[in-house]
Amino acid sequence: MTEHIDNDQITNNLRYRFEYLSKFLNFTSNDITLLNQFAVLLLPRIPVVADTVYRKLLSFDITKQFFLVRNDGFDGHMVKKGTSLTLESAQMTFRKDMLSKYLKRILTQQDWNDAFLQYLSQVGKMHTNQAGSTSINVDYIHINALLGYLEHLLIDVLWTIESVSNQAKHDMIAAVNKLFWIQNDFFTMHYLRTWNGDESTTTKSPSVNKNKYCCL
Ligand code: HEM
């Protein structure tokens, strides 16, 4: 049997888009439960994961440059020279804290309600040039690389926890993988402009997708 999926809804209604992706990836409430269970195991290790992520981002000048400019909400002492910026600089501690909060939120969320979908989308959008004053213009190549790297770090953490059965590990890894592909779509839809909706609503009245053939 073939299920009809409405392209206009995909590009305008975040809930509809998410439900289509969920059906495609077999992402169910059971995966959310598995992510919540994984969160309990990961929480004590989040500082190490955040350190490892930013060590990676500071190890290349092309990704390091983004951390030499002042960002929203940070009003502490700012290091502006690449040679002086370290993982312990105040602006990096601030960013590590933001990443930790993000990881906690996406893994502990129990109700994937509209506000949560909008959050996942907003995180994607702010890295593009589409988010007005909060845009940070990170090229997608770095997002793609970091999503892959971060997922790998989470799998490594899970793999080393002996108290979890192999079956549970397998199921948690699958759930984490689905989560990352959903988050990846919520990045790429802004980069490829396959999203016409507004972050403040999950539903928009149907309209012709003007950007159907558009990419950057
Ligand atoms: C796995 C992919 C990524 C995820 C999940 C992610 C997640 C986040 C989150 C949750 C925030 C804070 C949003 C907020 O609450 O305001 C943020 C901010 C930021 N991200 Fe990313 N990020 C990713 C990739 C990158 C990459 C590759 C770079 C740069 C090379 C980057 C640079 C930044 C910067 C500079 C900010 C601060 C923006 C500001 O506060 O003005 N991110 N990111």
Side-chain angles (χ1 to χ4, degrees):
M1 214 184 88
T2 306
E3 180 179 347
H4 172 64
I5 298 295
D6 185 325
N7 190 52
D8 196 49
Q9 287 284 306
I10 282 183
T11 53
N12 286 291
N13 182 332
L14 204 52
R15 165 78 35 200
Y16 186 92
R17 186 179 184 102
F18 166 70
E19 278 167 7
Y20 165 61
L21 286 173
S22 299
K23 284 182 207 161
F24 206 115
L25 294 166
N26 295 326
F27 181 78
T28 66
S29 55
N30 189 44
D31 290 298
I32 296 177
T33 306
L34 287 159
L35 292 173
N36 298 159
Q37 289 167 356
F38 177 50
V40 177
L41 303 169
L42 183 75
L43 282 183
R45 295 163 174 89
I46 281 184
V48 176
V49 171
D51 259 30
T52 312
V53 162
Y54 284 101
R55 190 170 297 115
K56 178 64 81 178
L57 289 173
L58 294 190
S59 72
F60 302 103
D61 56 0
I62 199 164
T63 45
K64 187 177 189 176
Q65 56 168 324
F66 293 97
F67 303 101
L68 294 166
V69 287
R70 186 170 291 278
N71 61 319
D72 271 1
F74 177 73
D75 46 16
H77 172 70
M78 181 82 193
V79 174
K80 292 188 179 142
K81 273 174 65 184
T83 45
S84 317
L85 185 67
T86 71
L87 274 181
E88 279 67 45
S89 303
Q91 69 241 49
M92 295 315 294
T93 308
F94 182 77
R95 260 99 184 217
K96 280 189 278 185
D97 195 44
M98 291 205 310
L99 181 69
S100 302
K101 286 190 181 133
Y102 165 81
L103 286 175
K104 273 184 212 156
R105 179 152 187 204
I106 61 170
L107 294 172
T108 58
Q109 187 76 21
Q110 294 181 354
D111 176 11
W112 281 46
N113 54 24
D114 291 353
F116 182 63
L117 297 186
Q118 284 156 17
Y119 172 70
L120 294 181
S121 170
Q122 190 54 43
V123 166
K125 189 174 183 178
M126 66 170 287
H127 290 79
T128 68
N129 61 2
Q130 314 277 310
S133 62
T134 55
S135 295
I136 49 175
N137 269 321
V138 176
D139 281 340
Y140 181 72
I141 182 174
H142 314 302
I143 301 292
N144 183 58
L146 193 65
L147 280 170
Y149 187 67
L150 181 55
E151 178 174 8
H152 202 166
L153 288 178
L154 299 188
I155 292 172
D156 279 352
V157 167
L158 182 57
W159 203 247
T160 56
I161 300 175
E162 288 177 358
S163 57
V164 181
S165 72
N166 277 349
Q167 182 63 50
K169 281 181 182 169
H170 167 274
D171 295 349
M172 284 183 204
I173 289 171
V176 167
N177 189 51
K178 293 174 197 180
L179 163 68
F180 269 70
W181 282 99
I182 292 167
Q183 176 67 88
N184 188 35
D185 179 68
F186 281 21
F187 270 100
T188 52
M189 71 182 189
H190 296 294
Y191 279 91
L192 299 175
R193 300 189 192 172
T194 53
W195 174 245
N196 292 332
D198 176 345
E199 265 33 70
S200 62
T201 57
T202 40
T203 316
K204 201 182 161 195
S205 51
S207 64
V208 177
N209 178 7
K210 297 186 194 70
N211 294 319
K212 189 169 176 190
Y213 302 106
C214 166
C215 48
L216 292 179

Coordinates of all heavy atoms in Angstrom, one line a residue, residues 157-185:
V157 N 30.6 6.1 24.2 CA 30.3 6.2 25.6 C 29.4 5.0 26.0 O 29.7 4.2 26.9 CB 29.5 7.5 26.0 CG1 28.9 7.4 27.4 CG2 30.5 8.7 25.9
L158 N 28.4 4.8 25.2 CA 27.4 3.7 25.4 C 28.1 2.3 25.4 O 27.9 1.4 26.2 CB 26.3 3.7 24.4 CG 25.2 2.7 24.5 CD1 24.6 2.8 25.9 CD2 24.1 3.0 23.5
W159 N 29.0 2.2 24.4 CA 29.7 0.9 24.2 C 30.5 0.5 25.4 O 30.7 -0.7 25.7 CB 30.6 1.0 23.0 CG 30.8 -0.3 22.4 CD1 32.0 -1.0 22.3 CD2 29.9 -1.2 21.8 NE1 31.9 -2.2 21.7 CE2 30.5 -2.4 21.4 CE3 28.5 -1.1 21.6 CZ2 29.9 -3.5 20.8 CZ3 27.8 -2.2 21.0 CH2 28.6 -3.3 20.6
T160 N 31.1 1.5 26.2 CA 32.0 1.1 27.3 C 31.2 0.9 28.6 O 31.8 0.5 29.6 CB 33.0 2.3 27.5 OG1 32.2 3.5 27.8 CG2 33.9 2.5 26.4
I161 N 29.9 1.0 28.6 CA 29.1 0.8 29.8 C 28.8 -0.7 30.0 O 28.0 -1.2 29.2 CB 27.9 1.7 29.9 CG1 28.3 3.2 29.8 CG2 27.1 1.5 31.2 CD1 27.1 4.2 29.7
E162 N 29.4 -1.3 31.0 CA 29.3 -2.8 31.0 C 27.9 -3.3 31.5 O 27.5 -4.4 31.2 CB 30.4 -3.3 31.9 CG 31.7 -3.3 31.2 CD 32.9 -3.7 32.0 OE1 32.6 -4.1 33.2 OE2 34.0 -3.7 31.5
S163 N 27.2 -2.4 32.3 CA 26.0 -2.9 32.9 C 24.8 -3.0 32.0 O 23.7 -3.4 32.3 CB 25.6 -1.9 34.1 OG 25.5 -0.6 33.5
V164 N 25.0 -2.5 30.7 CA 23.9 -2.5 29.7 C 24.1 -3.8 28.8 O 25.2 -4.0 28.3 CB 23.9 -1.2 28.9 CG1 22.8 -1.2 27.9 CG2 23.9 0.0 29.8
S165 N 23.0 -4.5 28.6 CA 23.0 -5.7 27.7 C 23.3 -5.3 26.3 O 23.0 -4.1 25.9 CB 21.7 -6.4 27.8 OG 20.7 -5.7 27.1
N166 N 23.8 -6.2 25.5 CA 24.1 -5.9 24.1 C 22.8 -5.5 23.3 O 22.8 -4.6 22.5 CB 24.7 -7.1 23.4 CG 26.2 -7.1 23.7 OD1 26.8 -6.1 24.2 ND2 26.9 -8.2 23.3
Q167 N 21.7 -6.2 23.7 CA 20.4 -5.9 23.0 C 20.0 -4.4 23.3 O 19.6 -3.7 22.4 CB 19.3 -6.9 23.4 CG 18.0 -6.6 22.8 CD 18.1 -6.9 21.2 OE1 18.6 -7.9 20.8 NE2 17.6 -5.9 20.5
A168 N 20.1 -4.1 24.6 CA 19.8 -2.7 24.9 C 20.7 -1.7 24.3 O 20.3 -0.6 23.8 CB 19.8 -2.5 26.5
K169 N 22.0 -2.0 24.2 CA 22.9 -1.1 23.5 C 22.6 -0.9 22.1 O 22.5 0.2 21.5 CB 24.4 -1.7 23.6 CG 25.0 -1.4 24.9 CD 26.4 -2.0 25.0 CE 27.0 -1.8 26.4 NZ 28.3 -2.5 26.6
H170 N 22.2 -2.1 21.4 CA 21.9 -2.0 20.0 C 20.6 -1.1 19.8 O 20.6 -0.2 19.0 CB 21.5 -3.4 19.5 CG 20.8 -3.4 18.2 ND1 19.4 -3.2 18.1 CD2 21.3 -3.4 16.9 CE1 19.1 -3.2 16.8 NE2 20.2 -3.3 16.1
D171 N 19.6 -1.3 20.7 CA 18.4 -0.5 20.6 C 18.7 1.0 20.8 O 18.1 1.9 20.2 CB 17.3 -1.0 21.5 CG 16.9 -2.5 21.1 OD1 17.3 -2.9 20.0 OD2 16.2 -3.1 21.9
M172 N 19.5 1.3 21.8 CA 19.8 2.7 22.1 C 20.6 3.3 21.0 O 20.4 4.5 20.6 CB 20.6 2.8 23.4 CG 19.7 2.6 24.7 SD 20.7 2.8 26.2 CE 19.7 1.9 27.3
I173 N 21.5 2.6 20.4 CA 22.3 3.1 19.3 C 21.4 3.5 18.1 O 21.5 4.5 17.5 CB 23.5 2.2 18.9 CG1 24.5 2.1 20.0 CG2 24.1 2.6 17.5 CD1 25.6 1.0 19.8
A174 N 20.5 2.5 17.9 CA 19.5 2.8 16.8 C 18.7 4.0 17.1 O 18.5 4.9 16.2 CB 18.6 1.6 16.6
A175 N 18.3 4.2 18.3 CA 17.4 5.4 18.7 C 18.3 6.7 18.5 O 17.8 7.7 18.0 CB 16.9 5.2 20.1
V176 N 19.5 6.6 19.0 CA 20.4 7.8 18.9 C 20.6 8.1 17.4 O 20.5 9.3 17.0 CB 21.8 7.6 19.5 CG1 22.8 8.6 19.2 CG2 21.6 7.5 21.1
N177 N 20.8 7.1 16.6 CA 21.0 7.3 15.1 C 19.8 8.0 14.5 O 19.9 8.9 13.7 CB 21.3 5.9 14.5 CG 21.7 6.1 13.0 OD1 22.6 6.9 12.8 ND2 21.1 5.4 12.1
K178 N 18.6 7.5 14.9 CA 17.4 8.1 14.3 C 17.3 9.6 14.7 O 16.9 10.5 13.9 CB 16.1 7.4 14.8 CG 16.0 5.9 14.2 CD 14.9 5.2 14.8 CE 15.0 3.7 14.6 NZ 13.8 3.0 15.2
L179 N 17.5 9.8 16.0 CA 17.5 11.2 16.5 C 18.4 12.1 15.7 O 18.1 13.2 15.3 CB 17.9 11.2 18.0 CG 18.3 12.6 18.6 CD1 17.2 13.5 18.7 CD2 18.9 12.4 20.0
F180 N 19.7 11.6 15.4 CA 20.6 12.4 14.7 C 20.2 12.7 13.3 O 20.4 13.8 12.7 CB 22.0 11.8 14.7 CG 22.8 12.3 15.9 CD1 22.5 11.9 17.2 CD2 23.9 13.2 15.8 CE1 23.2 12.4 18.3 CE2 24.6 13.6 16.8 CZ 24.2 13.3 18.1
W181 N 19.5 11.7 12.6 CA 19.1 12.0 11.3 C 17.9 12.9 11.2 O 17.8 13.7 10.3 CB 18.8 10.6 10.5 CG 20.1 10.0 10.1 CD1 20.8 9.0 10.8 CD2 20.9 10.4 9.0 NE1 22.0 8.7 10.1 CE2 22.1 9.6 9.0 CE3 20.8 11.3 8.0 CZ2 23.1 9.6 8.1 CZ3 21.8 11.4 7.0 CH2 22.9 10.6 7.1
I182 N 17.1 12.9 12.3 CA 16.0 13.9 12.3 C 16.6 15.3 12.6 O 16.3 16.2 11.9 CB 15.0 13.5 13.4 CG1 14.3 12.2 13.1 CG2 14.0 14.6 13.7 CD1 13.5 11.6 14.2
Q183 N 17.6 15.4 13.5 CA 18.2 16.7 13.7 C 18.9 17.1 12.4 O 18.9 18.3 12.1 CB 19.2 16.6 14.9 CG 20.0 17.9 15.1 CD 19.1 19.0 15.6 OE1 18.9 19.2 16.8 NE2 18.6 19.9 14.7
N184 N 19.6 16.2 11.8 CA 20.2 16.5 10.5 C 19.3 17.1 9.5 O 19.6 18.1 8.9 CB 21.0 15.3 10.0 CG 21.8 15.7 8.8 OD1 22.5 16.7 8.8 ND2 21.9 14.8 7.8
D185 N 18.1 16.5 9.4 CA 17.1 17.1 8.5 C 16.7 18.5 8.9 O 16.5 19.4 8.1 CB 15.8 16.2 8.4 CG 14.8 16.8 7.5 OD1 15.1 16.9 6.2 OD2 13.8 17.3 7.9

